[in-house]
Amino acid sequence: MEISRRDAFGLALAGTAALATEPAAAAPPGSGALPAAAWRRGFDNQRVPDLGDGRFLNPLLSGDHPDPAILKDGADYYMTFSSFDSYPGLTLWHSRDLVNWQPRKAALTKNIGSVWAVSLAKNDGRYFLYIPVKATPNTIFVIHADHIDGPWSDPIDLHLPAHIDPRHAVAEDGSRWLFLSGGDRIRLAPDGLSTLGAVEHVYDPWHYPAEWDVESFSPEGPKIAHHGDYWYLITAVGGTAGPPTGHMVIAARSRSLHGPWEHCPHNPIVRTTSTDERWWSRGHASLIEAPDGSWWSIYHGYENGFWTLGRQALLDPVAWTADGWFRMTGGDLSRPLAKPRGGAAVPHGQPLSDAFTRLDLGSRWNFFRPGPHETDRLRIEQGALVLRASGTAPVDSPPLLLTAGDQAYAFECDVEIAPGATAGLVLFYDDRLYAGLGFDERRFVTHQYGMERGRPSNPHGRRMRIRVTNTRHIVAIHTSHDAGRSWQRFDRGMEVSGYHHNVRGGFLMLRPGLYAAGQGQARFRDFRFRAL
């Protein structure tokens, strides 16, 4: 069946930065999903939270943006997320109004392991990132910089095995601390680059009723906020994934950062109570003050029916109560909410389409679990991304990946291979679970369930254009021999709703990407992305 390029991407590709103004729509009864028209549209037709009328609609940042770590720095806000095995990692995002966010640079370029929930802090004019990693052994590193865009220092090992999710805090007496999962903490040296003494246990987290459907107790992700006369310690319990009703937010408070801590009588502050809700497994919450003095919480959650998109960043309004506690007031976050006032809006997000005029690593593209010299495989040459082949398939040839946060999208690229190479487009969860299409000089190669299978002979030779369309987990693949003027549907459809953490583990998301395996190299030109 011949399908034109215009049918696939529409006339709006050239104007990817233009925003549509469709009104928000309510969720259908009994469903956590919203129609595509509910969101305002930005670069490459991607959904954006700001509705342009003084309201916003979650997600704040779509796609996998888990364990948000946020810093208020004067009129600026900076945020980063767990980047796990993606490098360059810890991309820093910037906002001035808490709703519109723009990526800047990645702070971590050296592969030190799988990066989990970090702490972003500023002290005495210097920026710090405290980075827990799953490696051999597990530990926590710190890096620092005098400017948010770096250069960032080399990682310094704090030698904290078996501890995760650090949170930096400065007590009322000026001492510096790292709070850790499980209710522990350890003192930091005045410069923040080493620890003093031993880990101490300071807090026993509140426990939910035994009959609730959760994954595990797992008290983790401690966050610290100071408001009025109290310090507030916010913790996630119930497990990060598993049952949609498991992950939740609890709180405690103390008049001193040194304790003692009292449980909030309203715990849990946030919890998904029904699979009909739009957002599942909500947790890892931080409190932050908006430009207008109002308070908000940023945390993550899975979108109903879309485990494949990973944990997305959510913004929830906070109300302080007369008894000195706080409540989240956004409900299940399925409806538009009034934006915080004040602050200038930056352009939200970024284009995912790429003409390959420069090498955009860290903010747009990154490698999955790269070796120490992975970036040496890349160069930009005359409007092409040249990727030197390695390994045999995506299982052992780290692909170059994007974070795409829409429920449906299409991406296409011109791919040219040298003799001996195999290259193509993939939807990639990890090195054991991916799908897509590649080719060598003689045949097509399908990727499905993380396995390769030789397919019919390749009639296009060493150059073709490939398009992958993911329509709410239904995947169709097309190829073109004439630069996208006409398309032929490939005779292999796929369904990828199971490509997610509750099947495979790893806390990742299904991401579009490019790969080159075998010998020689592949040239990728004119990469185009469009949310559908």
Side-chain angles (χ1 to χ4, degrees):
M1 179 175 62
E2 299 288 335
I3 301 176
S4 72
R5 188 172 182 179
R6 176 175 295 183
D7 289 336
F9 278 76
L11 296 173
L13 267 175
T16 53
L19 292 175
T21 57
E22 297 180 80
S31 170
L34 286 176
W39 285 275
R40 206 170 179 219
R41 293 289 169 169
F43 297 114
D44 296 331
N45 204 43
Q46 299 170 74
R47 54 184 175 174
V48 298
D50 194 332
L51 299 178
D53 59 1
R55 302 179 302 159
F56 73 96
L57 180 62
N58 279 295
L60 183 67
L61 283 169
S62 60
D64 199 37
H65 293 93
D67 308 318
I70 188 167
L71 169 68
K72 187 178 191 299
D73 186 19
D76 296 294
Y77 298 88
Y78 300 106
M79 187 160 55
T80 192
F81 309 90
S82 295
S83 53
F84 299 105
D85 292 294
S86 294
Y87 283 88
L90 295 181
T91 300
L92 289 156
W93 291 72
H94 172 243
S95 176
R96 302 198 70 150
D97 66 355
L98 282 183
V99 171
N100 296 281
W101 292 85
Q102 195 171 55
R104 294 170 78 102
K105 295 181 178 180
L108 185 62
T109 56
K110 180 181 179 181
N111 188 343
I112 55 175
S114 182
V115 171
W116 292 29
V118 304
S119 180
L120 173 61
K122 186 179 184 182
N123 194 73
D124 290 335
R126 175 177 281 185
Y127 297 92
F128 295 84
L129 275 163
Y130 293 91
I131 309 168
V133 297
K134 185 178 181 181
T136 306
N138 295 351
T139 189
I140 295 176
F141 289 90
V142 59
I143 61 176
H144 58 87
D146 293 328
H147 190 278
I148 195 67
D149 291 327
W152 289 83
S153 72
D154 287 336
I156 300 168
D157 191 347
L158 296 180
H159 302 289
L160 288 170
H163 294 282
I164 61 169
D165 298 2
R167 169 63 179 187
H168 175 273
V170 180
E172 63 272 16
D173 59 10
S175 58
R176 297 177 68 174
W177 298 84
L178 277 186
F179 281 74
L180 306 164
S181 290
D184 296 340
R185 72 171 187 172
I186 190 168
R187 188 167 182 176
L188 291 169
D191 65 3
L193 302 180
S194 61
T195 60
L196 301 175
V199 172
E200 59 184 32
H201 186 73
V202 295
Y203 167 61
D204 291 318
W206 175 88
H207 202 290
Y208 45 81
E211 63 270 17
W212 286 8
D213 288 324
V214 301
E215 184 180 43
S216 59
F217 182 38
S218 302
E220 59 188 23
K223 309 294 183 185
I224 301 289
H226 189 265
H227 181 266
D229 295 329
Y230 290 99
W231 295 88
Y232 294 86
L233 174 57
I234 302 110
T235 306
V237 296
T240 303
T245 55
H247 205 34
M248 66 192 83
V249 178
I250 65 170
R253 73 180 182 187
S254 172
R255 292 187 180 272
S256 168
L257 191 66
H258 305 303
W261 298 94
E262 62 172 316
H263 295 312
C264 176
H266 314 298
N267 281 333
I269 305 295
V270 172
R271 177 177 178 248
T272 301
T273 59
S274 167
T275 55
D276 290 336
E277 292 183 34
R278 177 159 164 241
W279 293 100
W280 294 349
S281 303
R282 292 182 287 160
H284 277 254
S286 295
L287 295 184
I288 196 74
E289 187 178 8
D292 62 358
S294 61
W295 282 77
W296 297 75
S297 179
I298 292 179
Y299 51 83
H300 65 216
Y302 285 104
E303 194 165 2
N304 186 330
F306 287 90
W307 299 105
T308 53
L309 290 179
R311 293 167 292 170
Q312 304 181 55
L314 307 171
L315 181 64
D316 199 338
V318 167
W320 295 96
T321 57
D323 58 0
W325 292 102
F326 62 91
R327 303 283 187 93
M328 313 285 190
T329 63
D332 69 356
L333 303 183
S334 62
R335 68 187 192 283
L337 300 168
K339 290 173 53 181
R341 297 180 180 179
V346 300
H348 183 80
Q350 65 181 330
L352 297 184
S353 296
D354 198 339
F356 298 127
T357 58
R358 63 190 178 101
L359 190 56
D360 196 358
L361 284 177
S363 61
R364 180 162 28 190
W365 298 96
N366 50 42
F367 279 109
F368 177 81
R369 203 174 290 159
H373 305 293
E374 209 71 50
T375 56
D376 294 344
R377 297 175 58 205
L378 288 174
R379 70 178 188 275
I380 296 294
E381 185 176 282
Q382 298 178 340
L385 174 72
V386 182
L387 179 58
R388 191 175 73 244
S390 70
T392 59
V395 64
D396 57 7
S397 177
L400 200 59
L401 303 172
L402 297 165
T403 296
D406 283 271
Q407 298 173 355
Y409 53 83
F411 61 102
E412 64 177 60
C413 194
D414 182 278
V415 186
E416 182 180 8
I417 58 172
T422 302
L425 275 55
V426 289
L427 289 165
F428 189 89
Y429 181 80
D430 69 3
D431 55 353
R432 298 291 179 179
L433 190 59
Y434 51 86
L437 181 69
F439 68 98
D440 60 24
E441 292 181 271
R442 299 180 296 103
R443 62 177 187 169
F444 288 109
V445 179
T446 57
H447 307 291
Q448 197 168 10
Y449 320 116
M451 298 183 292
E452 284 65 49
R453 179 179 296 176
R455 297 293 291 173
S457 61
N458 163 21
H460 305 314
R462 291 195 288 111
R463 183 171 181 176
M464 71 180 74
R465 195 166 184 87
I466 303 175
R467 184 177 72 230
V468 176
T469 304
N470 179 0
T471 307
R472 296 169 181 84
H473 300 138
I474 305 302
V475 177
I477 301 173
H478 293 77
T479 64
S480 174
H481 68 281
D482 55 8
R485 289 185 291 274
S486 62
W487 293 92
Q488 182 71 33
R489 183 163 183 150
F490 188 77
D491 186 22
R492 184 71 171 183
M494 302 178 188
E495 198 278 340
V496 293
S497 62
Y499 288 49
H500 61 74
H501 171 81
N502 278 358
V503 172
R504 170 67 185 144
F507 300 107
L508 306 175
M509 74 170 290
L510 193 61
R511 304 173 66 190
L514 316 170
Y515 83 95
Q519 304 296 317
Q521 63 188 25
R523 290 177 177 268
F524 299 91
R525 300 178 178 89
D526 187 28
F527 180 88
R528 298 197 179 201
F529 176 95
R530 182 169 174 80
L532 304 175

